[in-house]
């Protein structure tokens, strides 16, 4: 496994095809490992898996946790090596943004909904760095977790609208045995807060079970679970079509939730079949 920290080193690395990329902000956990394992399986033993580790300042708001976001490069590299990664790109801020960028990606109207209401400008920062990483790593496929479902949807739209020559591969959310979605921010939770955070998955599961009774029943079932833990402050609970447009009739849908548990903000989502 090779570690590169400059764009020149990245470009000089052997361009083995096919190539898969997994983009992260580090603080790797089993969810990231699942992405890397899937990438390794998809490109096969003769392909190349690239991992990027970069805490992207453009996607953090002024009151968010950029400075305290966990940076654990040594353990990240151990996880990457174990997952069969060939190349790690871990640039500094000055390497990736030598100048404050004046040209960024405009993510469209969906970026102003759901997460965008609470994190204005977030998705412009996400799509800008994803676009840069796709350009620099030149992959055949890029893998993203479904836990960040709105992000995944917007990346798919960007790749389609801008005719980027890469396949976007979604990977299902990885959970703890009790249902908590894996997240780098889970380490911020106290023991009590972690127990409280389980209500997110309970709410989504209750909504999923109510799918046979229609959208109103789904939202009511989820809301009832959330009201049982008032210390968890809900930013939004939404039921959308798979492309995050409005739900129209029966079929597949996606339920999304964002909440604050103590000082930690968590998101989760689940696929629901409406009948």
């Amino acid at each position: 496994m090779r570690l590169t920290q400059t764009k020149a080193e990245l470009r000089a690395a052997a361009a083995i095809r096919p190539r898969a990329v997994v983009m992260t902000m580090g603080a790797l956990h089993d969810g990231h490992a699942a992405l890397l394992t899937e990438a390794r399986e998809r490109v096969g033993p003769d392909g190349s898996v690239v991992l990027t580790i970069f805490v992207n300042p453009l996607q953090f708001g002024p009151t968010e946790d950029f400075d305290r976001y966990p940076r654990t490069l040594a353990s990240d590299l151990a996880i990457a090596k174990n997952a069969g990664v060939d190349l790690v790109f871990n640039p500094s801020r000055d390497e990736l943004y030598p100048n404050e960028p004046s040209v960024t990606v405009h993510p469209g109207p969906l970026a102003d909904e759901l997460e965008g209401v609470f994190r204005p400008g977030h998705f412009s920062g996400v799509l800008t760095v994803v676009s840069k990483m796709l350009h620099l790593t030149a992959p055949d496929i890029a893998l993203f977790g479904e836990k960040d479902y709105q992000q995944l949807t917007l990346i798919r739209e960007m790749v389609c609208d801008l005719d980027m020559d890469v396949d976007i591969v979604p990977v299902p959310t990885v959970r703890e045995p009790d249902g908590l979605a894996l997240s780098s921010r889970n380490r911020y939770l106290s023991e009590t807060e972690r127990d409280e955070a389980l209500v997110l998955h309970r709410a989504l599961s209750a909504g999923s079970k109510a799918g046979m009774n229609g959208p109103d029943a789904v939202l009511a079932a989820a809301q009832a679970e959330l009201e049982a833990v008032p210390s968890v402050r809900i930013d939004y609970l939404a039921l959308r079509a798979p492309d995050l447009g409005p739900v129209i009739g029966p079929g597949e849908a996606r339920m999304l939730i964002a909440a604050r548990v103590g000082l930690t903000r968590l998101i989760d989502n689940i696929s629901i079949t409406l009948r």
Side-chain angles (χ1 to χ4, degrees), residues 10-263:
L10 179 64
R11 293 188 180 106
I16 301 172
R17 317 302 311 184
R19 173 177 280 196
V21 67
V22 173
M23 301 180 198
T24 78
M25 294 202 298
L28 301 190
H29 49 64
D30 286 348
H32 297 112
L35 290 166
L36 296 170
T37 299
E38 179 73 14
R40 180 78 273 162
E41 291 177 354
R42 284 181 175 260
V43 300
D46 297 325
S48 176
V49 175
V50 180
L51 167 67
T52 72
I53 299 174
F54 179 67
V55 184
N56 176 36
L58 296 191
Q59 68 191 70
F60 286 80
T63 63
E64 294 183 335
D65 59 346
F66 175 76
D67 288 332
R68 74 181 185 120
Y69 194 87
R71 291 156 171 87
T72 57
L73 182 60
S75 61
D76 292 345
L77 294 178
I79 291 171
K81 186 174 182 180
N82 189 58
V85 169
D86 299 291
L87 182 68
V88 178
F89 182 45
N90 173 227
S92 67
R93 177 173 182 164
D94 288 342
E95 179 67 22
L96 207 59
Y97 299 118
N99 303 298
E100 191 67 24
S102 58
V103 177
T104 57
V105 176
H106 184 276
L110 177 58
D112 296 326
E113 304 175 27
L114 301 170
E115 284 294 285
V117 173
F118 298 90
R119 306 184 71 186
H122 169 70
F123 288 118
S124 176
V126 170
L127 294 193
T128 297
V129 77
V130 168
S131 177
K132 286 173 72 72
M133 290 296 191
L134 288 175
H135 174 69
L136 290 167
T137 60
D140 300 288
I141 63 173
L143 297 89
F144 294 90
E146 289 187 345
K147 187 182 79 69
D148 296 292
Y149 191 82
Q150 188 175 5
Q151 171 182 286
L152 169 65
T153 302
L154 285 165
I155 290 170
R156 281 170 155 168
E157 289 185 357
M158 176 182 72
V159 165
C160 178
D161 290 350
L162 300 183
D163 292 317
M164 295 180 171
D165 188 18
V166 59
D167 290 331
I168 302 300
V169 178
V171 177
T173 301
V174 178
R175 300 182 180 277
E176 297 281 4
D178 56 12
L180 184 67
L182 292 183
S183 168
S184 300
R185 290 185 169 94
N186 288 352
R187 67 187 67 198
Y188 298 157
L189 299 170
S190 68
E191 185 175 345
T192 298
E193 289 168 347
R194 192 193 178 287
D195 288 341
E196 293 172 340
L198 295 176
V199 74
L200 274 68
H201 182 59
R202 290 200 302 269
L204 294 174
S205 297
S208 179
K209 292 175 183 176
M212 66 183 67
N213 298 318
D216 291 343
V218 167
L219 290 169
Q223 189 64 44
E225 289 287 343
L226 295 171
E227 289 173 355
V229 188
S231 59
V232 174
R233 295 157 296 167
I234 307 304
D235 280 351
Y236 60 81
L237 174 69
L239 186 65
R240 296 289 185 93
D243 64 357
L244 297 185
V247 171
I248 302 174
E252 294 304 306
R254 182 70 56 161
M255 190 175 210
L256 306 99
I257 189 171
R260 300 173 192 271
V261 185
L263 298 177

